[in-house]
Amino acid sequence: MSTFEVTAYCGGACCNGKWAGQTASGKTPCEGRTCAAGKQYPFGTRIQLDGIGTFVVEDRGGAISGNRIDIYMNNHNAANNFGRRRVTGRVV
């Protein structure tokens, strides 16, 4: 069990710049499934975040390292409103 710092992002250019609509793994991002995590978590790793859900590492991010997880959301306002949370979780 670990503590993760969890944020959220959307697929638009506002959150992803020139990478909008893409993930680093080549998968199409999906709300409730896709998350970005540091390289210590290989693509395909499943991470369960207590009270939020289970996500699959399908993306990377320049500011994503250590136990920071960025979960994908379809809506920019929802991602922005999610804020920053400290959440207990585990690799499953």
Side-chain angles (χ1 to χ4, degrees):
M1 195 166 306
S2 300
T3 299
F4 293 91
E5 182 176 342
V6 183
T7 54
Y9 71 106
C10 75
C14 51
C15 289
N16 289 306
K18 68 180 182 176
W19 305 108
Q22 301 177 46
T23 63
S25 68
K27 300 274 187 184
T28 300
C30 177
E31 185 170 332
R33 183 193 73 212
T34 302
C35 75
K39 291 181 180 179
Q40 76 270 30
Y41 299 105
F43 292 137
T45 300
R46 295 173 50 87
I47 300 175
Q48 181 181 3
L49 300 170
D50 293 346
I52 300 175
T54 301
F55 298 86
V56 179
V57 177
E58 296 179 338
D59 211 355
R60 301 281 186 233
I64 308 300
S65 63
N67 276 0
R68 176 148 183 240
I69 303 292
D70 208 11
I71 61 173
Y72 175 83
M73 293 185 169
N74 291 329
N75 180 282
H76 177 74
N77 287 334
N80 204 33
N81 290 335
F82 182 87
R84 183 178 305 266
R85 304 177 188 185
R86 293 184 60 79
V87 178
T88 301
R90 67 203 55 74
V91 173
V92 293

